Each structure stands twice: as C-alpha cells, then as structure tokens.
Amino acid sequence: MPSTTPFTLDAADGFPLAAHDITPDGPPMAHAIIAPAMGVAQRYYAPFATWLASRGIQSTTFDYRGMGLSRRGPMRDVDADLIRWARDDAGAALAHVRARAGQAPVYWIGHSLGGQLLPFVPDADRITRVVTVASGSGYWRDNSPALRWRAPWLWYVVVPVALRLAGYFPGKRLKKVGDLPYGVMAQWRAWCLHPEYMLSEGEQVRAQYAALRTPITSLSFTDDEYLSAENIASLHSFYTGAERQMLRIAPADIGEPRIGHFGFFRERFAATLWERHLLPALV
C-alpha cells in the first residue's frame, strides 16, 4: 500500500506550506505534482494521489498560502496574489519534487488554476509532461452559459464590495469559490475581465507562455459548469511553443451522467478517466 507523509514545504520566500508526499511501495518510476484549483484544498486530491502511487508514481500535494492546511492567521493578513502562488509556492513544490526525482520523469497535473499558472513557476521547463484538467481561460464572456449570465454581478458588484468590506474574499459565507486572499481575488478579477486573461499582465507574460516547450495534454469536459470549449482553447493557445493534445470528453463517452469541473478527481472515475485517459498522457 502507498504511504502518505505530511511535511512542511518552505516557499521561496520562507512561508511554511502544508504538503504531503504519497509514496509507492517500491522505487517510483516517476514523480508527479498535483497543482490545485482555485479555493480547493489538497485533501480533495488525496484519493487520486494515492491511486497514482499505486501505479508507481510518487505524488506530492500542497496547499497554496492561505488555503487549506497552509492557512495561518486571519485571511485578511495573507499577502498573496496568483503570481506569488505560482512563483513562490508551486515553485517550491516543483523544486522539492525535482530534488527527489533524480533522473526520473517529473509530471505536472494541474487542475483548473493549476494548469494556468505553469509559466510563472521557476524551472517549469524541467517538467517532463504536463496534464491540465478542466483548465482554461477565465474570461467571463467565454464562460459556460450557466456561469456567463451571473459573471457581471460577481465581478462588478459582489467581489469589489466584499473585498472592500472584509479585506479578503469571504467566499464561504457567500457560497462562492471559498475564502481567498485579497490579492488573489483582485488579480483573478482583473484577469477574468480581460479577453486575454493573464496575458493582460503584459508582453513578458505572453513570452513566458510561448517559451514553455513541455508537451501538454488537456483533459476537458463537455458538461463543465464553468468553462466552455472556448475557455479551454483560449488558455492552451497561449502555450504556442508546446506540443498540445486536446481531449474533450463527454460524460456519455464513459457511460456516466456527469463529470463537471471537479468530477475528474473523484475515485469513481479511476477506471474510466484516470486509467483510460490520464495514464496514456504520461507516457
């Protein structure tokens, strides 16, 4: 049986992050980082990480600062934005995994936000393969119909008012996304209001995306309640230098009524999604 070891991961600026290594019985044939979605704690990925380890792939999960087990003190005091999450937090996770991997392959499995932030992560070009899961641009006019009609109310009213009054985004109380640091939500709002999403940060960011050469497989789902096919295609078009394989999966393709934005990581999909679609993308 795989074993799970909790540990403290020091971010690039010294911030202590909660992390776990999930280790196979024998020597790992590869190592994987599971980069979380916005507002999702690493515990959500534990069954998936354990399954990877049962297939010989050592897995590392972590929480961005202010999230899950890495939340320390009042949320309004958390100094973070999306680029810091990528550069300092995810960057530390990658450095940890690379140090353990030696010559073994290193995989990046990014759920939603975790597939967006990769070019901001130091040494991302040292990753062997990338799999993005339900990951796309958050530009609101391209969102799925279920979200698009609500997006203006969220971005122009709810978020600005909540940030001003609370000093952070109180998503748990509002039943939206979850609690998020001020800087994270403010930057995410700015990206979601721009047609080119994070490329609104400037030409340097466009160049960072274009510079990534690691092969990418995108797994997306026709019943995603947040992201449309346009969102998915838009994000992956930024990775102009990478070989890209785009897999669009409908629930009916695997004999299921629903997958959605979060479903991929549920254990019920071990045979139909993890075994059938993920593993081939890692070889």
Side-chain angles (χ1 to χ4, degrees):
M1 286 288 293
S3 60
T4 299
T5 305
F7 67 100
T8 299
L9 176 68
D10 291 328
D13 61 350
F15 190 96
L17 304 170
H20 290 79
D21 280 332
I22 301 89
T23 306
D25 285 334
M29 67 176 193
H31 293 248
I33 300 165
I34 302 171
M38 180 78 74
V40 179
Q42 65 180 307
R43 64 179 178 272
Y44 186 73
Y45 305 102
F48 174 68
T50 300
W51 179 86
L52 284 176
S54 75
R55 296 303 189 271
I57 301 172
Q58 167 134 2
S59 300
T60 297
T61 65
F62 69 98
D63 288 317
Y64 304 112
R65 68 189 65 200
M67 298 289 100
L69 297 174
S70 296
R71 181 170 178 172
R72 294 174 175 84
M75 183 66 79
R76 64 176 56 87
D77 295 338
V78 177
D79 182 13
D81 61 17
L82 294 169
I83 293 176
R84 173 166 281 188
W85 273 2
R87 183 191 63 223
D88 294 349
D89 300 356
L94 176 57
H96 165 79
V97 170
R98 285 186 54 233
R100 292 179 64 98
Q103 298 303 308
V106 173
Y107 304 141
W108 181 280
I109 301 172
H111 181 204
S112 195
L113 180 72
Q116 299 172 10
L117 297 181
L118 191 55
F120 299 110
V121 178
D123 293 326
D125 58 337
R126 305 294 293 274
I127 296 166
T128 310
R129 286 187 176 274
V130 173
V131 176
T132 65
V133 178
S135 190
S137 159
Y139 178 50
W140 76 272
R141 289 186 184 275
D142 288 340
N143 287 158
S144 69
L147 179 61
R148 192 182 310 139
W149 70 271
R150 302 196 309 267
W153 172 253
L154 175 68
W155 297 127
Y156 288 107
V157 180
V158 175
V159 170
V161 171
L163 291 179
R164 191 177 304 118
L165 293 178
Y168 69 100
F169 185 69
K172 286 186 179 177
R173 277 184 284 166
L174 297 173
K175 298 182 179 180
K176 299 179 187 296
V177 187
D179 292 349
L180 296 171
Y182 185 104
V184 166
M185 182 51 101
Q187 189 171 45
W188 191 33
R189 174 184 182 271
W191 290 3
C192 288
L193 291 175
H194 194 281
E196 290 194 297
Y197 199 51
M198 75 280 286
L199 299 192
S200 61
E201 296 283 338
E203 287 304 309
Q204 181 181 354
V205 172
R206 187 186 301 275
Q208 286 175 262
Y209 276 84
L212 193 73
R213 297 290 187 267
T214 306
I216 299 172
T217 298
S218 163
L219 303 178
S220 66
F221 312 104
T222 59
D223 66 331
D224 191 319
E225 61 271 35
Y226 300 125
L227 301 182
S228 68
E230 289 76 18
N231 287 132
I232 305 297
S234 176
L235 172 71
H236 290 83
S237 73
F238 303 158
Y239 291 103
T240 55
E243 176 188 334
R244 288 157 285 168
Q245 181 183 23
M246 309 293 290
L247 299 179
R248 188 102 172 128
I249 302 166
D253 295 340
I254 60 169
E256 291 282 349
R258 176 154 180 75
I259 303 171
H261 191 70
F262 297 99
F264 176 88
F265 294 95
R266 297 192 176 108
E267 231 170 337
R268 64 181 290 180
F269 296 116
T272 53
L273 291 178
W274 302 354
E275 193 84 41
R276 190 185 305 172
H277 292 286
L278 177 84
L279 279 187
L282 298 179
V283 298

